Amino acid sequence: MKFKTIFTCLVIFGMTNILQAQNPIISEIFTADPAPLVYKNTVYLYTGHDGATLEDTNYKMPDWYVFSSKDMVNWTNHGSKLSPATFSWATGEAYAAQCIERGGKFYWFVSTFHKNDDNSKGGAAIGVAVSNSPLGPFKDAIGKALIVNEMTTDMKHAWDDIDPTVFIDDDGQAYLFWGNGSCKWVKLKKNMIEVDGGISTFKPKNYIEGPWVYKRKNLYYLVYASAGTKPEMIEYCTATNIAGPWTYQGIIQENVTNSFTTHPGIVDFKGKSYFMYHNGSLPTGGSYRRSICIDQMYYNPDGTIQKIIQTKEGVKAVK
Ligand code: FUB
């Protein structure tokens, strides 16, 4: 083969690889804990932000970011839109969060940590920020935490009230699920900023943290990070009633590259289902320097979820 032909082949091969390698989808900063929201033909992706140095041995998560896409491949970085500093009662890291729309307002449920004051002795807590736009500006919706460590006592560690996932059922009833070590849930009032009734606690098989709750064809899904002493996987349960009982359905995602944690974020967009998660696969990445990826998600006719195939290529652009 002539040099020119070999060169052309190498360029085409290289370009094809570049065009197809979508994962991780964000490479300018380290991102974690994906929470997608579809609104008006656009996917908004709310993320955590890993700011740890290579020497750090724990999370350094200063703020939450928003990205958006109209095709699941080209993502616009809208920047840092919220931080624990927005909440006068908060201190510490910006753990997992999820934003949901109701009545034209956007409610961003976040997990962070509480100052030691009259409302709490500290520990993880859940707050809500609100905005008239998916891109903010967001402000504290309540002026205090929605959930504080003292409200749940089944787990003795102080960081069990993390990882909120919020879901509005067809009848308009909103639910908040969350928790590390056990899964907790409560109804929310229509205003989305007050709990309605008591908190329930349960422990799905192998549950550790990071719940993601949604409904598809009259079946409720509770997808979560599992294990604990080993790197996390994603497992799930289904139920015909959101109050349970939940039926364990198995593992859908095995361990991820170079990160102890993984965290599910699930969305349907333009007729396809997508599974978002994080790993440590960017150069210099790791458990505290994570990156969000997307792969296709498929359901069986009976509603069970097929194993997620983690790829470097990611997904194809949708029109
Ligand atoms: O990102 C900080 C914590 O790591 C999250 O709250 C957990 O779900 C895990 O991803």
Side-chain angles (χ1 to χ4, degrees):
M1 235 191 291
K2 283 196 181 130
F3 172 76
K4 198 173 159 193
T5 317
I6 294 171
F7 181 75
T8 310
C9 288
L10 284 174
V11 168
I12 290 171
F13 179 73
M15 278 181 65
T16 312
N17 262 358
I18 288 165
L19 288 175
Q20 287 185 346
Q22 307 291 348
N23 279 332
I25 58 166
I26 296 149
S27 53
E28 65 270 28
I29 57 167
F30 291 105
T31 54
D33 305 327
L37 165 73
V38 174
Y39 182 70
K40 291 196 175 163
N41 242 5
T42 300
V43 181
Y44 293 91
L45 175 58
Y46 298 81
T47 79
H49 171 203
D50 276 340
T53 64
L54 279 171
E55 287 73 41
D56 283 328
T57 53
N58 209 338
Y59 298 112
K60 291 275 160 59
M61 303 187 73
D63 47 10
W64 293 277
Y65 269 64
V66 187
F67 299 80
S68 72
S69 176
K70 289 192 185 301
D71 65 4
M72 298 304 279
V73 165
N74 295 292
W75 290 92
T76 302
N77 181 348
H78 297 283
S80 166
K81 293 289 177 186
L82 188 64
S83 89
T86 309
F87 304 95
S88 59
W89 49 266
T91 179
E93 311 309 321
Y95 272 24
Q98 185 182 350
C99 187
I100 195 168
E101 184 265 344
R102 178 163 213 164
K105 285 188 186 291
F106 296 81
Y107 297 90
W108 200 348
F109 291 79
V110 303
S111 48
T112 180
F113 293 81
H114 208 290
K115 289 175 182 165
N116 183 343
D117 62 19
D118 289 348
N119 293 316
S120 171
K121 293 282 157 274
I126 293 173
V128 195
V130 67
S131 172
N132 293 324
S133 152
L135 298 177
F138 285 90
K139 60 172 197 216
D140 187 348
I142 320 177
K144 61 178 186 171
L146 178 68
I147 304 290
V148 295
N149 185 33
E150 288 79 1
M151 286 179 178
T152 63
T153 51
D154 62 315
M155 291 287 127
K156 300 305 164 209
H157 55 286
W159 65 94
D160 62 319
D161 293 296
I162 60 170
D163 293 1
T165 178
V166 59
F167 162 72
I168 303 173
D169 209 343
D170 303 329
D171 62 2
Q173 178 63 59
Y175 298 88
L176 182 74
F177 282 67
W178 73 97
N180 172 291
S182 67
C183 186
K184 309 142 203 308
W185 68 274
V186 72
K187 284 182 182 173
L188 294 176
K189 290 189 180 166
K190 227 172 172 179
N191 64 14
M192 301 299 277
I193 59 171
E194 285 176 274
V195 301
D196 194 0
I199 295 172
S200 301
T201 300
F202 65 113
K203 184 143 174 119
K205 185 175 171 186
N206 300 334
Y207 179 92
I208 183 72
E209 60 183 2
W212 185 268
V213 171
Y214 65 103
K215 188 182 192 180
R216 180 181 178 271
K217 295 187 179 170
N218 288 328
L219 196 59
Y220 297 94
Y221 291 77
L222 169 60
V223 181
Y224 51 88
S226 63
T229 52
K230 293 183 294 185
E232 292 178 349
M233 296 186 288
I234 300 296
E235 308 191 23
Y236 79 111
C237 295
T238 56
T240 51
N241 186 324
I242 190 133
W246 290 92
T247 305
Y248 177 73
Q249 298 287 6
I251 298 168
I252 54 170
Q253 190 199 35
E254 303 283 348
N255 301 146
V256 298
T257 308
N258 203 24
S259 165
F260 187 86
T261 64
T262 175
H263 188 110
I266 292 167
V267 73
D268 277 8
F269 186 58
K270 298 186 178 170
K272 289 190 167 148
S273 299
Y274 297 90
F275 184 82
M276 300 187 174
Y277 57 99
H278 61 229
N279 66 21
S281 70
L282 269 191
T284 77
S287 285
Y288 308 115
R289 293 160 69 83
R290 299 164 293 177
S291 297
I292 289 172
C293 299
I294 307 179
D295 276 305
Q296 214 70 59
M297 185 170 175
Y298 299 101
Y299 293 87
N300 295 312
D302 66 358
T304 52
I305 303 170
Q306 293 181 10
K307 269 255 177 96
I308 305 295
I309 300 174
Q310 298 178 48
T311 69
K312 271 206 171 315
E313 293 73 26
V315 298
K316 292 201 171 70
V318 281
K319 295 239 162 71

